[in-house]
Amino acid sequence: MEKDAPQASSSTSSLPQGRSLMVGNSPPAKRTRSQSQSQSQSRSQSRSQSQAQSQYQYQNQNQPSRKSVAREERYEYDKHLLHRAVEDAGINAFGAVFVEVWALHRDGTKLTRPDGGHWMDPAFWRSLPDGEAMHLASGLDWEAGDCALGVGLAGTLFEESSSSSGGGTGAAAGRRVHWRQIKSLMDDPFVQEEAEGRMARLYKIGLGLVAAVPFSFQDQRGMVLYYSRKTAKVDRLRSETNERYLVGAADLIGASYAIHKSREEAAELRRQMFREAVLKVRKDFEKHRSKVGPRLESLVLDKEKLKKYKEEQDRLAEEEQMRGTWTWGDSPLLRVDRAIADLARRAVGFGTWCLRRIDTSRKKWGGAHLLGPPRQSIGDCAFCFVGVFLAMLTILRIGTAVNDGAFLFDGGWYSSSLCILFALTPAPVGQPRQVYLAHLWNMLVGMALRQIPSGDFTYFLEFTEAAPGAAYGLPLIWKQALAVALGVSGQAFIGILHPPASGLSMAFASSDKWTWGTMLSVMAADTFMVAFAIGYINLAEKKQYPLYWLGLGWRANVRMGKLQKKAHTSAKNAIRRASSMNNGGNGGGTSKKGGDESV
């Protein structure tokens, strides 16, 4: 038994601790108290070591790399920088209670709101009437999905502000603030609403006015939206000082957003240069070192050898530069080389831009995945049917009455106009100003182009087969196409878009039977159509026509806005003088503040 004891103890060493082994019929060996304590200590030490090792492995497995940490730090810094610029813009702008930044996505198919690109005035949030409105405002502040181009509030304002500004980059001259009313955008049937109804939610919490300022820095395009309350004073919002600050703040915000792309490119360039330098050193060292020379690892650890190697490399680089340096001065051949290189660089840049635009166009073919417009109710359709029938019947009767005289016109020209007036009543293209001016513009364009001789040919290629004495001129189809193009683009430039009127430019350019008397007949028919629409459409409870007549309010362009501002100031002064004269017998005139409030 004494000889078997060591064997038993050696065999038990391979078993788990705390277990006993029976050898034959012998009882388990007795352990002293010190042996039990030492074994328990060893077990606790092994458990702690295994836990520490597993924890170390877990930390190493989940610990981010230095590259990802640096990228995350740069991202947080950029977000904080953008948010500070947006917050400063909202705090110092008059009447602004909510500010958003929308940037064009890199693929050019949608608008996104970058992280940190939003700010809401805490005082405005606390002034909301109830918890539901506060919750709605918080959702608008912290959540914003991507927006397709030309859709919703952001997409529509991005298109309008980009086209209405003078262009250029940075603080380019000619840029201006583009103001819109949220309610008018909601009522416009030609504005496609977002799926989440963002415009309606903004209007529900009390925001009524929005100013859009575009920016463009280093191929980064976007805009800044400044929201104001419904009750904000428009004169102060549109003051020259406030608008100048809005443009400057948008420039700062645009630069803050655009810098993150340049910083990422610079960081990637540094990483690439570092990798190339390490690879070059390794290749050069492996190429020039002797067979018995030190390895690269030992050379890095030896500072003296590394210093000598660096001096040798600098000497070789200097010799290489001396051998390759030979200046031609300002020779003609050198100037030609520079011109060719510049032309090649411009050609490559233009080709890259074209390919990028084509790729962006391809991505837009799939659409924005929005819902179609809703259908109208049966009652609205019946109301529209009666109005269009009566108006069209009357216009056709007028057309047949003047069919043989000097005031000849075609009543069918008004088919599309009646569709807009009675089925799309709130649409801006159907208001009286658009109807009158668009018809007049297109008729003048057609009559002007009709004065160009057409000749005896239909196409330009027929000139080669012309007989002697043939009449030359601009082919008819070219005049028709030119008339329609000038009619549509002119309407867009003047701001009098009325799509059905474009057919008049082609009609007047095609035939000489349409005369100045036809223009008088068209103006008379326009007067009847607008008058009938006013009397009939306003009978409906939920419709109103017209929404405006001349439309020279605060939504007009800068030139019209200045005229309106001068007229408004003159009216205020006249009212103030009249009020002073009326109150002269009472011992004094009204104050300036009182005069403004009366206006």
Side-chain angles (χ1 to χ4, degrees), residues 1-21:
M1 293 293 296
E2 292 179 358
K3 293 182 180 180
D4 295 338
Q7 297 176 359
S9 62
S10 63
S11 62
T12 56
S13 62
S14 62
L15 296 177
Q17 297 181 1
R19 299 285 183 91
S20 61
L21 179 63

Side-chain angles (χ1 to χ4, degrees), residues 18 35 37 46 64 119 123 144 146 161 201 225 297 326 366 376 394 413 446 451 457 467 498 546 561 573 585 590:
Q35 291 177 348
Q37 291 179 354
S46 63
W119 172 84
D146 296 340
S161 61
R201 293 159 61 194
L225 299 182
E297 292 80 2
W326 181 68
Q376 298 186 9
T394 305
W413 292 338
Q451 309 307 317
F457 305 97
H498 183 64
N573 294 334
T590 59

Side-chain angles (χ1 to χ4, degrees), residues 461-497:
L461 296 178
E462 296 179 356
F463 288 177
T464 59
E465 302 175 357
Y472 293 89
L474 186 66
L476 179 60
I477 60 173
W478 282 74
K479 288 201 302 183
Q480 293 172 339
L482 185 60
V484 175
L486 288 176
V488 175
S489 58
Q491 291 179 76
F493 178 76
I494 303 173
I496 55 172
L497 278 172

Side-chain angles (χ1 to χ4, degrees), residues 180-212:
R180 289 300 301 265
Q181 292 175 319
I182 298 179
K183 186 65 169 61
S184 66
L185 290 172
M186 293 170 55
D187 294 339
D188 191 346
F190 289 94
V191 175
Q192 178 70 44
E193 177 63 276
E194 309 101 318
E196 62 272 14
R198 186 174 179 80
M199 274 195 293
R201 293 159 61 194
L202 288 168
Y203 188 77
K204 187 175 181 180
I205 64 174
L207 300 179
L209 307 178
V210 57

Side-chain angles (χ1 to χ4, degrees), residues 247 436 545:
V247 174
Y436 282 105
Y545 184 84

Side-chain angles (χ1 to χ4, degrees), residues 120-157:
M120 181 173 286
D121 190 357
F124 169 74
W125 184 82
R126 289 192 296 266
S127 66
L128 295 175
D130 50 26
E132 181 182 358
M134 291 182 177
H135 179 72
L136 191 62
S138 300
L140 290 169
D141 185 21
W142 290 102
E143 298 177 3
D146 296 340
C147 181
L149 298 178
V151 175
L153 181 67
T156 303
L157 292 180

Side-chain angles (χ1 to χ4, degrees), residues 383-393 418-419 422-423 532 536:
F383 185 82
C384 174
F385 170 80
V386 174
V388 172
F389 175 77
L390 296 177
M392 192 66 195
L393 184 63
L418 293 176
C419 174
F422 289 90
F532 180 80
Y536 181 78

